[in-house]
């Protein structure tokens, strides 16, 4: 398959209506007991649904911590010795709620991290001004969606220009094709905004435009608080067989919202791979790590690599399950009869170092994904892994129509989608380990 460079994630994202709201976990119907085959679609989808039931998975949240406990229990049930790697990040903002009242309509909005600490909780009524000095007022900024996941220079420059007008706050719209609020990942080292930057959904822009024209005041209310030296943890499962080589499998657990299809298939794949590897990969040690802090600086992965990961020369292969592995190109209805199509190769990337590509690519011949090898495979947390000197690395990352929005839920996947992806990963993993055992050229 043709190898290409990545210029951000690419996708055709369709507008859809959601059923969830910020901060609310929706109870889902009971899920049947998992079949014996951990890689079956039924078993994988059951884990996706279970993950969703924990609610928001933002770093430091109750839902995130409950999901980590569940992952630990599952690894123990497959015979792994489990430890918690505890660490802390410099800061986290804990959002309770945020709203913008325009006329008689109250819109759900969200801060784009990081707010000024003095503005962790505030309420302000003021008009939106189009031009000139905006002291004590709001200014509105709309910027294009760049098909990426991380806050970058383009977004910061656009906000900086607006801040030069001295507003009380910036109402920022990322023009995401879903029409919903879209949040960018940030780093712990990012400087807080000089004034609050508040994300407003593209679908709500006409109301802001009308208020801007009339000069009618709008009311912004944000309730939250900052904490510092915020505790976090990674869940690490080990099967130490006293072998010279070790297989590492990793996945991020935390995210901005419920993030069912962003995170769920990867976590389901991670758990299924642990079950299979515990039985089939007897000639290597196993280390499985679920990391936290992904959306606010990759903290967990950095701590794992620094303090707990095997040395590069001891790692037979490192498999990383990233975002949006098995999602629809549009939300499917509850009966799965809507004809929704899986995401295509424009939205999903099979990422490999050169040393493992020859073993990985054949297993994925029937899985739609763009194949990316070498340094260009350093996407998301793979950039941390590859940057630390690990040379036998592969994984997958992508996006889907409701990626990084509050409406990413179970409709974005189904039992049909993750099974072929996970089985291709397991086959690749086993082939790489076998190749090292029987001396095939790497």
């Amino acid at each position: 398959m043709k190898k290409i460079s990545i210029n951000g994630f690419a996708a055709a994202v369709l507008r859809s209506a959601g059923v969830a709201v910020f901060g609310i976990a929706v109870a889902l119907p009971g899920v049947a007991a998992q079949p014996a085959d951990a890689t079956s679609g039924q078993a994988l989808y059951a884990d996706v649904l279970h993950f969703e039931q924990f609610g928001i998975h933002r770093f430091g949240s109750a839902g995130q911590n409950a999901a980590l406990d569940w992952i630990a229990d599952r690894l123990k049930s497959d015979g792994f010795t489990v430890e918690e790697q505890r660490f802390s990040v410099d800061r986290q903002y804990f959002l309770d709620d945020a709203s913008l009242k325009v006329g008689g309509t109250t819109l759900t909005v969200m801060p784009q991290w990081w707010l000024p600490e003095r503005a962790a909780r505030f309420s302000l009524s003021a008009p939106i001004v189009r031009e000139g000095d905006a002291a004590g007022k709001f200014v509105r900024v709309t910027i294009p969606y760049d098909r990426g996941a991380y806050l970058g220079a383009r977004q910061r420059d656009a906000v900086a220009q607006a801040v030069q007008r001295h507003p009380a706050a910036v109402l920022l719209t990322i023009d995401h094709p879903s029409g919903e609020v879209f949040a960018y990942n940030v780093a712990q080292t990012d400087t807080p905004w000089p004034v609050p930057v508040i994300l407003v959904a593209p679908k709500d822009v006409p109301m802001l435009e009308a208020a801007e024209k009339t000069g009618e005041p709008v009311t912004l209310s944000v309730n939250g608080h900052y904490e510092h030296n915020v505790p976090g943890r990674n869940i690490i499962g080990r099967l130490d067989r006293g072998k010279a080589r070790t297989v590492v499998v990793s996945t991020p657990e935390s995210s901005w919202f419920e993030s069912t299809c962003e995170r769920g298939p990867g976590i389901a794949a991670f758990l299924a791979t642990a079950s299979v590897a515990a039985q089939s990969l007897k000639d290597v040690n196993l280390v499985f790590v679920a990391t936290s802090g992904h959306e606010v600086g990759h903290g967990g992965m950095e701590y794992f690599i620094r303090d707990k990961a095997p040395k590069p020369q001891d790692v037979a292969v490192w498999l990383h399950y990233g975002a949006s592995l098995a999602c629809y190109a549009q939300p499917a209805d509850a009966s799965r009869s809507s004809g929704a199509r899986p995401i295509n190769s424009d939205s999903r990337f099979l990422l490999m170092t050169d040393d493992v590509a020859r073993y990985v690519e054949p297993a994925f011949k029937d899985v739609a994904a763009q194949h990316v090898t070498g340094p260009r495979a350093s996407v998301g947390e793979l950039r941390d892994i590859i940057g630390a000197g690990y040379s036998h690395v592969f994984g997958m990352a992508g996006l889907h129509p409701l990626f990084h929005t509050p409406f990413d839920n179970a409709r974005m996947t189904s039992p049909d989608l993750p099974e072929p992806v996970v089985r291709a990963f397991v086959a690749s993993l086993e082939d790489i380990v076998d190749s090292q055992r029987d001396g095939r050229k790497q």
Side-chain angles (χ1 to χ4, degrees):
M1 183 173 291
K2 182 180 179 181
K3 300 177 179 65
I4 66 165
S5 62
I6 293 181
N7 295 315
F9 291 123
V13 185
L14 304 177
R15 185 177 300 274
S16 64
V19 296
V21 295
F22 286 82
I24 296 178
V26 180
L28 296 173
V31 180
Q34 292 186 8
D37 182 359
T39 65
S40 73
Q42 180 184 351
L44 295 165
Y45 190 60
D47 282 343
V48 170
L49 292 177
H50 196 88
F51 174 76
E52 182 174 74
Q53 289 181 336
F54 294 115
I56 282 180
H57 296 86
R58 200 169 301 151
F59 180 82
S61 67
Q64 188 238 349
N65 282 304
L68 287 171
D69 289 341
W70 167 62
I71 291 169
D73 288 342
R74 286 288 299 277
L75 290 173
K76 290 175 184 176
S77 72
D78 283 316
F80 287 78
T81 299
V82 173
E83 68 170 303
E84 294 184 348
Q85 181 188 14
R86 296 191 174 271
F87 62 92
S88 64
V89 299
D90 291 341
R91 56 182 168 168
Q92 174 62 312
Y93 177 68
F94 292 87
L95 175 66
D96 297 321
D97 58 78
S99 64
L100 182 67
K101 187 173 182 179
V102 184
T105 302
T106 299
L107 308 176
T108 300
V109 296
M110 177 180 171
Q112 172 64 61
W113 271 226
W114 304 96
L115 287 91
E117 290 209 34
R118 58 178 169 74
R121 180 184 299 269
F122 71 96
S123 182
L124 174 67
S125 293
I128 305 169
V129 294
R130 185 185 298 270
E131 297 176 346
D133 186 79
K137 302 177 177 67
F138 298 114
V139 297
R140 190 171 60 83
V141 177
T142 299
I143 59 177
Y145 172 53
D146 66 356
R147 309 178 208 176
Y150 295 84
L151 186 70
R154 178 182 297 182
Q155 295 84 22
R156 289 193 167 276
D157 289 346
V159 172
Q161 291 182 23
V163 168
Q164 290 177 3
R165 297 173 56 196
H166 311 105
V170 174
L171 305 179
L172 175 64
T173 297
I174 310 299
D175 198 14
H176 193 269
S178 70
E180 307 296 346
V181 163
F182 173 89
Y184 278 110
N185 291 342
V186 295
Q188 287 290 312
T189 54
D190 288 343
T191 302
W193 304 110
V195 299
V197 175
I198 306 300
L199 296 168
V200 181
K203 67 183 181 183
D204 296 326
V205 165
M207 281 188 280
L208 301 189
E209 292 175 334
E212 186 179 68
K213 288 179 181 178
T214 64
E216 174 189 10
V218 301
T219 300
L220 175 63
S221 296
V222 175
N223 295 302
H225 69 279
Y226 266 98
E227 293 183 12
H228 293 274
N229 298 316
V230 181
R233 57 191 171 126
N234 297 327
I235 298 298
I236 306 172
R238 300 181 188 273
L239 273 179
D240 188 350
R241 298 184 170 113
K243 304 296 183 179
R245 298 172 304 144
T246 299
V247 168
V248 182
V249 180
S250 57
T251 194
E253 185 278 333
S254 64
S255 53
W256 287 114
F257 306 109
E258 288 182 359
S259 309
T260 306
C261 208
E262 178 189 353
R263 287 281 165 260
I267 289 171
F270 173 89
L271 295 172
T273 305
S275 294
V276 173
Q279 300 302 317
S280 67
L281 299 181
K282 300 290 190 180
D283 294 333
V284 290
N285 309 311
L286 301 177
V287 176
F288 279 66
V289 58
T291 62
S292 59
H294 177 87
E295 72 284 7
V296 290
H298 291 195
M301 179 58 78
E302 292 175 3
Y303 279 101
F304 175 71
I305 290 173
R306 190 189 72 183
D307 297 333
K308 294 290 186 177
K311 300 301 181 185
Q313 62 269 23
D314 298 327
V315 171
V317 60
W318 188 319
L319 165 57
H320 182 73
Y321 288 118
S324 308
L325 303 187
C327 305
Y328 284 114
Q330 63 189 36
D333 65 22
S335 67
R336 307 295 164 198
S337 61
S338 66
R341 296 173 292 102
I343 55 175
N344 58 30
S345 60
D346 290 335
S347 306
R348 188 164 56 183
F349 301 89
L350 180 63
L351 306 159
M352 305 158 280
T353 54
D354 292 329
D355 289 341
V356 300
R358 63 181 296 196
Y359 303 109
V360 176
E361 289 186 313
F364 284 85
K365 62 182 178 63
D366 296 322
V367 175
Q370 296 190 35
H371 291 203
V372 184
T373 60
R376 297 170 299 176
S378 297
V379 173
E381 294 193 4
L382 279 167
R383 74 169 181 253
D384 301 319
I385 298 166
I386 295 171
Y390 294 89
S391 60
H392 291 70
V393 179
F394 71 113
M396 181 174 280
L399 56 75
H400 64 82
L402 298 176
F403 175 78
H404 279 212
T405 79
F407 298 103
D408 176 5
N409 56 43
R411 295 181 306 141
M412 292 309 306
T413 188
S414 74
D416 297 333
L417 299 190
E419 182 176 308
V421 178
V422 175
R423 289 185 171 176
F425 273 114
V426 170
S428 300
L429 189 65
E430 291 176 340
D431 197 31
I432 292 168
V433 172
D434 286 345
S435 73
Q436 296 178 6
R437 181 174 56 222
D438 64 24
R440 278 184 275 163
K441 184 179 179 180
Q442 294 292 301

